[in-house]
Amino acid sequence: MTITSRIARLRPSTAAAIVLAASASLFTTTTPAQAASNAVPTYEVKINLTTAALDASHNPLAAVKSAFGITGSAKARSYTYYDTDALALNAQGWDVRLRHKSGSSFEESYKKRFTVTNGDIDAALTTANAAGFSSSDTNYDAEVDWGYSKQTLSFSNEKSHSASGYSGTAMPSAATGLSWLVGEIPGKLEDWNSSNWGKTTLQASRSHGPVTSQVWGGAWEVSDDAGIEVLPVVGASGSGTEYVVEVSFKTDDYDDASKLHTDAINVAESHGWLYHGDVLKTQTILGRY
């Protein structure tokens, strides 16, 4: 029996209703699902200073701390990055870090970086969106690192691990740290490029570090999260010690970040402390350890 003949056997009112519903369905269009919007980043201005900003003990000069609103005492933090000898993760824009601040749990960080070209942050956010990093993914925090001449967009997935049994900023063995990071790997990294690529690559990684820095905190202009970090690293030749000095300011607003960037450079320049370039701590540690 055909659909038409079945409809004809129903009561007239019922048959008419079915015909109308069927006709309406022919003209109904399905509204496509709306794509998630771009993520909204926070900002961290990072300006490097020369060692002229340090005293004989490699601590920031009192004048430096005063100029940038630094009032807190020094706090230590140790950290190490994990990657292969060929830096396969970093080559794909991923950085995996284990960090231990004194008195805190271990921080596991999985960060994906996107290049910001000619200051076009919106374009970088759109590129990130296409790669699956959008406003709908609450597992990752978006941030723009704004250096002297370079901006980088990053998405960080942060997890913690108990520091029970570890005092100060002590770090676990390289093998233990790696096992924690592999066990907590987020899905985006685990299957980056292809199924299980990220996990397999991380499993084949080694420790780059650890390094231990001193950080002083405070507030400056519109930023209530200002800091100076002094990081000793092995020299580029493989011996000796160099000091990376970074003053940083966090804010949620682009215009505030722009002003902080301009003002910090001007203050550092006027005192002869400014390093005219960007020292990327992650790349330095990966390359020297």
Side-chain angles (χ1 to χ4, degrees), residues 48 98 217 246 263 275:
N48 290 110
L98 183 66
E246 179 185 272
D263 292 351
Y275 177 81

Side-chain angles (χ1 to χ4, degrees), residues 237-248:
S237 65
S239 63
T241 303
E242 296 177 7
Y243 292 86
V244 177
V245 187
E246 179 185 272
V247 57
S248 62

Side-chain angles (χ1 to χ4, degrees), residues 74-118:
K75 295 182 179 179
R77 62 179 62 168
S78 296
Y79 49 100
T80 187
Y81 289 89
Y82 284 83
D83 207 335
T84 64
D85 285 333
L87 306 183
L89 293 172
N90 185 261
Q92 289 293 315
W94 283 98
D95 297 315
V96 178
R97 183 189 68 195
L98 183 66
R99 184 168 69 179
H100 191 194
K101 297 178 181 178
S102 183
S104 301
S105 297
F106 287 100
E107 300 171 359
E108 301 167 335
S109 175
Y110 307 83
K111 180 181 291 187
K112 178 67 177 79
R113 293 173 287 102
F114 293 89
T115 300
V116 176
T117 303
N118 297 324

Side-chain angles (χ1 to χ4, degrees), residues 19-31:
V19 171
L20 287 173
S23 300
S25 67
L26 295 176
F27 299 97
T28 301
T29 58
T30 301
T31 302

Side-chain angles (χ1 to χ4, degrees), residues 60-257:
L61 295 167
V64 173
K65 291 192 285 187
S66 176
F68 292 112
I70 305 302
T71 56
S73 56
K75 295 182 179 179
R77 62 179 62 168
S78 296
Y79 49 100
T80 187
Y81 289 89
Y82 284 83
D83 207 335
T84 64
D85 285 333
L87 306 183
L89 293 172
N90 185 261
Q92 289 293 315
W94 283 98
D95 297 315
V96 178
R97 183 189 68 195
L98 183 66
R99 184 168 69 179
H100 191 194
K101 297 178 181 178
S102 183
S104 301
S105 297
F106 287 100
E107 300 171 359
E108 301 167 335
S109 175
Y110 307 83
K111 180 181 291 187
K112 178 67 177 79
R113 293 173 287 102
F114 293 89
T115 300
V116 176
T117 303
N118 297 324
D120 194 343
I121 296 172
D122 287 338
L125 287 166
T126 298
T127 298
N129 195 335
F133 295 88
S134 67
S135 61
S136 66
D137 192 342
T138 57
N139 292 319
Y140 287 82
D141 294 323
E143 180 179 86
V144 173
D145 290 337
W146 196 333
Y148 175 76
S149 60
K150 179 183 178 69
Q151 292 176 329
T152 302
L153 171 65
S154 65
F155 288 79
S156 296
N157 182 303
E158 306 286 343
K159 299 180 180 181
S160 64
H161 196 283
S162 172
S164 177
Y166 295 87
S167 60
T169 65
M171 297 291 284
S173 68
T176 296
L178 181 59
S179 70
W180 294 350
L181 291 163
V182 170
E184 298 277 2
I185 189 170
K188 276 188 172 62
L189 173 55
E190 181 172 1
D191 295 324
W192 190 258
N193 276 337
S194 60
S195 177
N196 225 38
W197 177 89
K199 185 173 184 178
T200 300
T201 305
L202 184 56
Q203 287 172 326
S205 296
R206 66 170 179 84
S207 168
H208 295 261
V211 296
T212 300
S213 67
Q214 299 290 326
V215 180
W216 291 258
W220 191 62
E221 294 190 354
V222 296
S223 175
D224 59 3
D225 192 352
I228 294 179
E229 180 177 11
V230 178
L231 172 66
V233 293
V234 66
S237 65
S239 63
T241 303
E242 296 177 7
Y243 292 86
V244 177
V245 187
E246 179 185 272
V247 57
S248 62
F249 314 94
K250 293 185 178 182
T251 180
D252 293 337
D253 184 76
Y254 174 89
D255 290 335
D256 288 344

